[in-house]
C-alpha cells in the first residue's frame, strides 16, 4: 500500500518526529489525531507543531483531538516507581510466607494442599501489593442520587485499606465529576421520576420471565419503537444489561470462518463477545485508518489461514466515544472503508448516544451521516438516559437476533420502571414532551465540555481526547499520585475517578472527569479552581495551578 493511495482517503494517527528544527517533546514524539484543525489561542509547547493530514472531503466540521506522548523522564520515573513497589511487594510476600507479617488475602485451605490450586496466587500479586495502597479511592458508598452532587458515606481503614469501617457520618454535597450522567437524567424528581413511579404502580418492579415467554410487556414494545425512531432505523431491540448486549449478541452475528477487526481500545464487553463468537480476531491501532485498511486488504487478499478461502464475513467493531481516552471514532473514514471493502460495521455508542450530535443521536448525528451506513447500531441506556440496559438497531437484523441471541432468549426482561425512565428521557431529548428541555441539555453539555477542557489546558494540565468529548482524561503518570489526587479532590468535596494500570498503559495513569449538563458553571469552577477555596478568583487560582501541577502532575 503506497502512501499516496492511502492519504487520498485516510488520515493515519501514527507518531511523527518534528522536523525543520522545530522543538519537539522530550522524547521527540507527539501523537496527533487532527483533521481540519482550527488555530487555538492556547496550546501546550509540545503540541504546537503537529503534523496534520487534511481530509476535508469526508468531514463536514473540525475534528481535533490530541494525545501527548509521555515525556521520557516521566516514563523512566514511573517505571522506577512501579519497580520499587514490585520489589517491596516481593519482600512483603516473603514476610507473609513466614508469618512475620499478617496475611489478609484468601488462601487455599490447608486440607486442600494436595489439590490442584483453584487459582494462581501470583495473579493477586498486583492486588495485594499495589492496588491495596490506593484502594480507598474506589468503591466509595453513595447514599443519594448520583446527580451533579452526591452524598458519600464516610469510611476509615485501620489496616491499610484491607477492610473499611463506616463512621456513621455522611460527606454532603460532593460535586460528582465521575458518573456518566451526561444529560443529567440521573435524578429522583421531575418528569422521569414521576413516570417511573407510575410504571411501578402499574407493572411492579420485576417481570419474572424472558421476552420470548411471558415477559414481553407493551411498554417494551413501545420502547423499541421509540428507539428505532430516535436512531432513524427500521427496528430495534432492547436488552436488560448493557454489557450483555455486546457479549451475547456478537456471538450470534459471527462465528467460525468469520473475521472481526477490533479497535485496540474497545471495551471489555466487545472483546468478550468477539472471543465467545469463535471468530478470528485481529486488532488495529486505535483510530488509525491506515492500520484498519491494511488489515482489510490483507484479509481479502489472503483469506482464511491455511485454506485461503474467503472469509464468510468481516465485521469492523468500533466505539463512538472511548471512555478511557476521550477520543471519538473517525466514523466517516470507517464507513468509507467499510463500503470499499464490503465489510460490516458494528458501532458501540454506549458513551456517545445522547452526548454527541446536535440532536443527541450519537456519532452518526455528530458527523451528519446516514444511519443506514451503519449495519449494527448498539448503545446503552446507562449513561445519557440515567437508566440501565442496552439496545441494538438495524434492519432485518433484529428479527434474526430475537431468535438467536442468548440475551434475548434467556435473560429476564427489562424492569418496567427502567423502561419508562428511558421512554420519558428519550422523548424529552427528541422534544416530544412539548418543551425545549432536551435541546437545552444537549447544548449545555456541549458548552460545559468546551469550557472545562479549555480551562484545564489554560491551567497547564495535559488532557487527552477530542475537543467535543465529555470524557476528559487528565494525565497523572506517577503511581503514587493516583491515590494522592483522588484523596485531595475528595477533601475539597470533589468526587472523581482515578485510573491506573492495568486499566491504562503503565505510564499513562490519569484522572477522568465526566462532564454533565447538570453541572453549573459554579460547580465546574469549583472543580477547576477549588484548590484554594470556593471564592478564589480565577486570576489567583490559575497562578496556583502551576504549583498544583508541580505537586501532582510532574515528576517528584
Amino acid at each position: 500500500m503506497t502512501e499516496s493511495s492511502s492519504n487520498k482517503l485516510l488520515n493515519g494517527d501514527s507518531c511523527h518526529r518534528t522536523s525543520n528544527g522545530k522543538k519537539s517533546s522530550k522524547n521527540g514524539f507527539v501523537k496527533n489525531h487532527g483533521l481540519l484543525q482550527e488555530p487555538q489561542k492556547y496550546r501546550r509547547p509540545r503540541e504546537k507543531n503537529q503534523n496534520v493530514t487534511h481530509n476535508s472531503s469526508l468531514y463536514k466540521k473540525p475534528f481535533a483531538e490530541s494525545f501527548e506522548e509521555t515525556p521520557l523522564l516521566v516514563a523512566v520515573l514511573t517505571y522506577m516507581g512501579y519497580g520499587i513497589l514490585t520489589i517491596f511487594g516481593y519482600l512483603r510476600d516473603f514476610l507473609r510466607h513466614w508469618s512475620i507479617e499478617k496475611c489478609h488475602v484468601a488462601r487455599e485451605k490447608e486440607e486442600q494442599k494436595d489439590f490442584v490450586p483453584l487459582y494462581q496466587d501470583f495473579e493477586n500479586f498486583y492486588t495485594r501489593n499495589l492496588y491495596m495502597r490506593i484502594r480507598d479511592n474506589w468503591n466509595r458508598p453513595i447514599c443519594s442520587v448520583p446527580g451533579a452532587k452526591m452524598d458519600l458515606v464516610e469510611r476509615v481503614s485501620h489496616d491499610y485499606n484491607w477492610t473499611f469501617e463506616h463512621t456513621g457520618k455522611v460527606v454532603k454535597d460532593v460535586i460528582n465529576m465521575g458518573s456518566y450522567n451526561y444529560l443529567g437524567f440521573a435524578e429522583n424528581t421531575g418528569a422521569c421520576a414521576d413516570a417511573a413511579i407510575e410504571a411501578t404502580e402499574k407493572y411492579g418492579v420485576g417481570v419474572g420471565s424472558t421476552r420470548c415467554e411471558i415477559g414481553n410487556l407493551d411498554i417494551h414494545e413501545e420502547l423499541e419503537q421509540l428507539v428505532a425512531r430516535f436512531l432513524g432505523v427500521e427496528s430495534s431491540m432492547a436488552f436488560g444489561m448493557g454489557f450483555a448486549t455486546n457479549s451475547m449478541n456478537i456471538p450470534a452475528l459471527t462465528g467460525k470462518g468469520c473475521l472481526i477487526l477490533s479497535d485496540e481500545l474497545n471495551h471489555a464487553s466487545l472483546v468478550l463477545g468477539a472471543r465467545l463468537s469463535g471468530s478470528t480476531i485481529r486488532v488495529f491501532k486505535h483510530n488509525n485508518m491506515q492500520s484498519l485498511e491494511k488489515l482489510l486488504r490483507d484479509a481479502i487478499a489472503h483469506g482464511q489461514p491455511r485454506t485461503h478461502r474467503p472469509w464468510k464475513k468481516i465485521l469492523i467493531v468500533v466505539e463512538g466515544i472511548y471512555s478511557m481516552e476521550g477520543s471519538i471514532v473517525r466514523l466517516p473514514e470507517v464507513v468509507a472503508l467499510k463500503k470499499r471493502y464490503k465489510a460490516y460495521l458494528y458501532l458501540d455508542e454506549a458513551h456517545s448516544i445522547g452526548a454527541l450530535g446536535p440532536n443527541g443521536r450519537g456519532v452518526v448525528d455528530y458527523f451528519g451521516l446516514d444511519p443506514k451506513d451503519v449495519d449494527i447500531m448498539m448503545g446503552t441506556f446507562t449513561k445519557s438516559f440515567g437508566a440501565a440496559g442496552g439496545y441494538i438497531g438495524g434492519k432485518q437484523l433484529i428479527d434474526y437476533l430475537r431468535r438467536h441471541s442468548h440475551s434475548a432468549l434467556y435473560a429476564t426482561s427489562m424492569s418496567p420502571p427502567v423502561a419508562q425512565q428511558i421512554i420519558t428521557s428519550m422523548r424529552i431529548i427528541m422534544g416530544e414532551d412539548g418543551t425545549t428541555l432536551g435541546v437545552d441539555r444537549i447544548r449545555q453539555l456541549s458548552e460545559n465540555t468546551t469550557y472545562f477542557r479549555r480551562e484545564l489546558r489554560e491551567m497547564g494540565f495535559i488532557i487527552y481526547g477530542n475537543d467535543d468529548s465529555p470524557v476528559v482524561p487528565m494525565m497523572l503518570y506517577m503511581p503514587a499520585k493516583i491515590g494522592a489526587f483522588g484523596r485531595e479532590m475528595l477533601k475539597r468535596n470533589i468526587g472523581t475517578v482515578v485510573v491506573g494500570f492495568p486499566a491504562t498503559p503503565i505510564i499513562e495513569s490519569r484522572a477522568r472527569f465526566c462532564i454533565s449538563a447538570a453541572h453549573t458553571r459554579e460547580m465546574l469552577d469549583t472543580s477547576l479552581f477549588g484548590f484554594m477555596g470556593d471564592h478564589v478568583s480565577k486570576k489567583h487560582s490559575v497562578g496556583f495551578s502551576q504549583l498544583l501541577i508541580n505537586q501532582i502532575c510532574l515528576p517528584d
Side-chain angles (χ1 to χ4, degrees):
M1 179 179 65
T2 62
E3 182 179 359
S4 59
S5 64
S6 62
N7 285 343
K8 290 180 181 178
L9 174 68
L10 307 176
N11 175 32
D13 60 359
S14 56
C15 298
H16 302 278
R17 285 193 182 273
T18 56
S19 57
N20 302 325
K22 296 179 180 179
K23 185 178 180 181
S24 66
S25 62
K26 293 183 180 179
N27 56 356
F29 288 97
V30 174
K31 285 185 182 178
N32 68 78
H33 296 240
L35 284 173
L36 304 179
Q37 278 190 305
E38 295 180 333
Q40 296 181 3
K41 294 181 179 179
Y42 175 84
R43 190 179 295 278
R44 289 182 59 82
R46 297 189 188 111
E47 296 178 343
K48 281 184 179 178
N49 306 313
Q50 292 191 351
N51 193 348
V52 179
T53 303
H54 293 275
N55 194 353
S56 57
S57 61
L58 293 177
Y59 290 83
K60 301 177 182 179
K61 58 183 296 184
F63 182 80
E65 54 187 39
S66 61
F67 301 87
E68 183 173 332
E69 279 285 281
T70 305
L72 181 59
L73 177 60
V74 175
V76 170
L77 293 177
T78 302
Y79 279 122
M80 288 178 60
Y82 277 105
I84 293 171
L85 289 172
T86 302
I87 292 172
F88 274 90
Y90 278 111
L91 176 61
R92 297 187 68 178
D93 278 354
F94 175 80
L95 297 177
R96 295 183 187 117
H97 177 73
W98 295 101
S99 301
I100 300 175
E101 179 180 332
K102 184 179 179 181
C103 183
H104 297 272
V105 297
R107 289 187 171 184
E108 301 283 355
K109 295 180 180 180
E110 185 64 25
E111 56 267 26
Q112 291 181 317
K113 62 181 180 179
D114 295 328
F115 284 62
V116 175
L118 185 61
Y119 59 89
Q120 295 296 321
D121 186 60
F122 182 76
E123 294 177 0
N124 296 323
F125 178 86
Y126 181 88
T127 302
R128 288 194 306 271
N129 300 297
L130 282 80
Y131 171 72
M132 281 298 168
R133 294 173 176 267
I134 54 177
R135 185 185 171 206
D136 56 304
N137 284 279
W138 293 280
N139 308 317
R140 291 170 177 152
I142 299 172
C143 56
S144 69
V145 176
K149 289 188 176 182
M150 57 187 177
D151 300 335
L152 301 181
V153 176
E154 187 180 73
R155 61 180 185 176
V156 296
S157 177
H158 303 291
D159 54 5
Y160 302 99
N161 294 337
W162 285 100
T163 59
F164 293 97
E165 294 180 6
H166 296 161
T167 63
K169 299 180 181 179
V170 175
V171 183
K172 294 283 188 178
D173 295 329
V174 177
I175 298 176
N176 184 3
M177 299 295 293
S179 295
Y180 304 129
N181 184 27
Y182 297 129
L183 293 181
F185 284 113
E187 50 194 1
N188 57 359
T189 59
C192 293
D194 294 340
I197 292 173
E198 293 178 6
T200 304
E201 293 174 348
K202 179 179 180 180
Y203 298 99
V205 175
V207 179
S209 182
T210 64
R211 292 284 298 276
C212 62
E213 294 175 348
I214 56 173
N216 188 30
L217 306 180
D218 58 344
I219 196 171
H220 296 140
E221 300 284 345
E222 180 185 359
L223 170 61
E224 291 176 342
Q225 293 173 9
L226 182 63
V227 170
R229 190 151 45 87
F230 180 66
L231 298 176
V233 297
E234 293 181 2
S235 58
S236 71
M237 187 173 182
F239 303 89
M241 181 180 178
F243 192 97
T245 305
N246 279 330
S247 60
M248 292 290 100
N249 284 293
I250 293 179
L253 297 172
T254 64
K256 188 176 181 180
C258 299
L259 175 65
I260 293 178
L261 302 180
S262 176
D263 190 290
E264 66 179 347
L265 297 183
N266 275 344
H267 190 261
S269 60
L270 294 169
V271 175
L272 178 60
R275 290 176 177 174
L276 291 175
S277 70
S279 305
T280 301
I281 305 170
R282 291 176 184 166
V283 178
F284 61 92
K285 295 179 181 179
H286 174 56
N287 245 355
N288 190 316
M289 298 301 104
Q290 290 177 336
S291 175
L292 174 58
E293 185 178 29
K294 184 179 185 302
L295 290 179
L296 283 167
R297 296 180 69 174
D298 289 345
I300 293 174
H302 302 295
Q304 299 183 39
R306 292 189 296 274
T307 64
H308 299 293
R309 293 177 179 175
W311 295 100
K312 294 180 180 178
K313 68 183 77 168
I314 299 176
L315 182 67
I316 303 172
V317 181
V318 295
E319 293 187 51
I321 293 179
Y322 292 84
S323 60
M324 284 297 172
E325 304 297 316
S327 58
I328 298 176
V329 64
R330 290 177 174 173
L331 192 59
E333 296 176 76
V334 176
V335 169
L337 286 176
K338 166 243 176 187
K339 290 181 177 179
R340 171 181 287 186
Y341 295 100
K342 304 297 186 293
Y344 292 98
L345 176 58
Y346 187 107
L347 174 62
D348 179 347
E349 293 215 71
H351 290 270
S352 55
I353 191 69
L356 285 181
N359 303 302
R361 296 177 181 177
V363 288
V364 177
D365 185 31
Y366 176 78
F367 288 111
L369 301 177
D370 188 344
K372 296 179 181 178
D373 290 335
V374 180
D375 301 288
I376 305 103
M377 300 183 70
M378 178 271 171
T380 61
F381 304 118
T382 56
K383 280 79 175 177
S384 296
F385 303 96
Y391 67 83
I392 284 184
K395 303 176 184 178
Q396 295 85 357
L397 164 74
I398 302 303
D399 293 332
Y400 173 82
L401 288 178
R402 291 189 193 280
R403 299 189 302 271
H404 294 85
S405 170
H406 286 79
S407 186
L409 293 173
Y410 303 112
T412 303
S413 301
M414 181 183 290
S415 176
V418 174
Q420 186 60 58
Q421 164 79 16
I422 301 165
I423 291 172
T424 307
S425 59
M426 190 171 291
R427 283 179 174 163
I428 292 174
I429 295 173
M430 298 171 69
E432 294 185 359
D433 62 331
T435 70
T436 61
L437 180 60
V439 176
D440 294 340
R441 292 196 184 200
I442 294 171
R443 184 180 64 252
Q444 187 63 49
L445 174 62
S446 178
E447 292 176 358
N448 287 350
T449 298
T450 301
Y451 175 78
F452 193 77
R453 281 183 169 273
R454 184 183 68 242
E455 293 301 312
L456 277 179
R457 284 198 181 97
E458 290 182 354
M459 291 173 69
F461 290 104
I462 301 172
I463 61 175
Y464 274 9
N466 192 285
D467 291 349
D468 295 326
S469 171
V471 179
V472 187
M474 188 181 79
M475 306 311 294
L476 300 177
Y477 299 116
M478 305 294 175
K481 290 170 183 174
I482 301 173
F485 186 86
R487 297 183 191 111
E488 290 301 316
M489 291 291 279
L490 186 59
K491 287 179 182 178
R492 292 157 175 79
N493 261 33
I494 303 168
T496 188
V497 174
V498 287
V499 191
F501 179 82
T504 68
I506 197 168
I507 58 173
E508 294 184 7
S509 299
R510 65 199 67 178
R512 187 184 63 184
F513 301 97
C514 292
I515 309 303
S516 171
H519 289 143
T520 64
R521 185 59 58 90
E522 181 183 1
M523 294 178 189
L524 297 179
D525 285 341
T526 301
S527 301
L528 289 164
F529 314 121
F531 305 103
M532 293 283 285
D534 292 337
H535 305 291
V536 66
S537 67
K538 180 177 178 179
K539 179 178 179 182
H540 290 92
S541 60
V542 171
F544 178 73
S545 68
Q546 189 61 45
L547 174 62
L548 190 68
I549 295 170
N550 295 334
Q551 292 179 342
I552 296 180
C553 291
L554 296 182
D556 292 326

